Amino acid sequence: MRGSGLLCKGLWLVICQAASSLAETNMTGMLAPQANRVMAIGEWEERWQEDRIGFHQPGVHQMLETHIEKVLAGRTGVRFFFPLCGKAVDMKWLADMGHSVVGVEISDKAIKQFFGENNMTYSEEDVPAIPGAKVYKGSERNISLYQCNLFNFSSSVGGQFGAIWDRGSLVAINPQDREKYAALITSLMAKDCKYLLDTLLYNPELYAGPPFLVPDEQVKSLFGNSCNIELLQSVDALLDRHRGWGLDYLTETVHIITLKNN
């Protein structure tokens, strides 16, 4: 009986390993069309200079509004981090609630437009820890926006955060940099951090990106070892603009991610 139990356990382990290997192979195949796509930082700056910013949303993102209570979890005065923040109006919306916001953005034009369009004054300072970087600090609200390469930012510069809203960041990072990106994000998470991650699913054979495809399987691969991952919502997000890219479907998916030690 004992030998039979060990045999069954061994077979189950083999099956699990085979399934895991198959899933990894499927994910690799899915990501292959965009695997070597590289978007230089200068190209993002050019998009801002030329106002080619179709990714910017004029209102608060619906996914954030829908799941804000899940993110806050009863907390007040939460420190929010916005990677690749652009001029997202979500930042003022959260600051108006009494939360503090730290963002990182490569384009100084985007940062200055954020403050200008929201009728906010700001101060400008150098960041000694990051050569060439500046931080723009709002005078009326607790908002600090760092103008620098995201990968030069760290917890030693900005501390850790109780919440992260990632809309348009992971999907904009070059696919080959995702492991490095995940390591940075987890290093910025405080023990009670709620990381709200917005990703996109579509056929990468039809569009080269950005925004890039990030399947659920890769979210688990990137964050699953150190974090708990919960799928909150998936919605059909296909608009005429996306049809113009050649897409026939586009699914927007939101996960909430927390550190396992919590």
Side-chain angles (χ1 to χ4, degrees), residues 10-243:
L11 286 172
W12 176 248
L13 182 60
V14 169
I15 291 170
C16 288
Q17 289 174 335
S20 176
S21 177
L22 180 61
E24 184 71 25
T25 300
N26 289 341
M27 184 178 73
T28 300
M30 192 185 307
L31 296 172
Q34 295 179 341
N36 298 316
R37 177 80 164 93
V38 174
M39 183 87 169
I41 288 177
E43 292 180 74
W44 287 110
E45 291 181 288
E46 284 178 15
R47 287 193 177 198
W48 278 102
Q49 291 301 324
E50 298 169 4
D51 291 321
R52 293 187 292 122
I53 52 171
F55 47 83
H56 173 70
Q57 293 197 356
V60 176
H61 197 283
Q62 185 177 356
M63 290 294 198
L64 179 60
E65 280 193 292
T66 299
H67 300 290
I68 187 61
E69 294 305 323
K70 184 92 173 177
V71 173
L72 294 178
R75 299 173 297 167
T76 58
V78 176
R79 290 192 81 224
F80 273 82
F81 180 60
F82 278 65
L84 305 187
C85 62
K87 58 176 181 177
V89 297
D90 305 2
M91 296 188 288
K92 183 176 184 297
W93 183 68
L94 289 166
D96 285 345
M97 292 182 188
H99 306 296
S100 60
V101 172
V102 173
V104 173
E105 169 58 47
I106 193 62
S107 170
D108 61 343
K109 180 179 180 180
I111 294 173
K112 291 174 181 177
Q113 282 186 347
F114 168 77
F115 287 111
E117 291 172 8
N118 288 289
N119 299 311
M120 298 170 63
T121 58
Y122 62 88
S123 62
E124 182 180 331
E125 302 173 12
D126 291 332
V127 183
I130 308 175
K134 292 185 180 297
V135 58
Y136 297 76
K137 297 181 178 181
S139 304
E140 298 85 4
R141 296 288 185 275
N142 196 348
I143 300 175
S144 298
L145 305 183
Y146 288 79
Q147 190 253 316
C148 65
N149 184 324
L150 178 62
F151 290 118
N152 290 336
F153 188 79
S154 66
S155 59
S156 64
V157 174
Q160 291 185 314
F161 300 91
I164 299 173
W165 172 219
D166 187 331
R167 182 265 162 181
S169 185
L170 177 58
V171 297
I173 292 293
N174 292 326
Q176 64 191 25
D177 291 331
R178 286 178 186 166
E179 296 282 351
K180 181 168 65 168
Y181 179 86
L184 171 62
I185 291 296
T186 53
S187 74
L188 296 173
M189 295 172 70
K191 289 183 179 180
D192 63 345
C193 184
K194 309 289 186 183
Y195 171 29
L196 194 65
L197 172 63
D198 184 87
T199 55
L200 300 172
L201 305 175
Y202 61 84
N203 183 354
E205 298 281 358
L206 301 178
Y207 179 65
F212 297 111
L213 164 76
V214 181
D216 294 353
E217 294 85 354
Q218 188 166 45
V219 173
K220 294 172 186 173
S221 173
L222 290 171
F223 298 102
N225 286 338
S226 59
C227 298
N228 299 305
I229 302 168
E230 178 186 353
L231 173 64
L232 295 182
Q233 190 176 5
S234 290
V235 299
D236 178 6
L238 187 68
L239 301 174
D240 287 341
R241 180 166 72 95
H242 307 129
R243 291 187 180 94

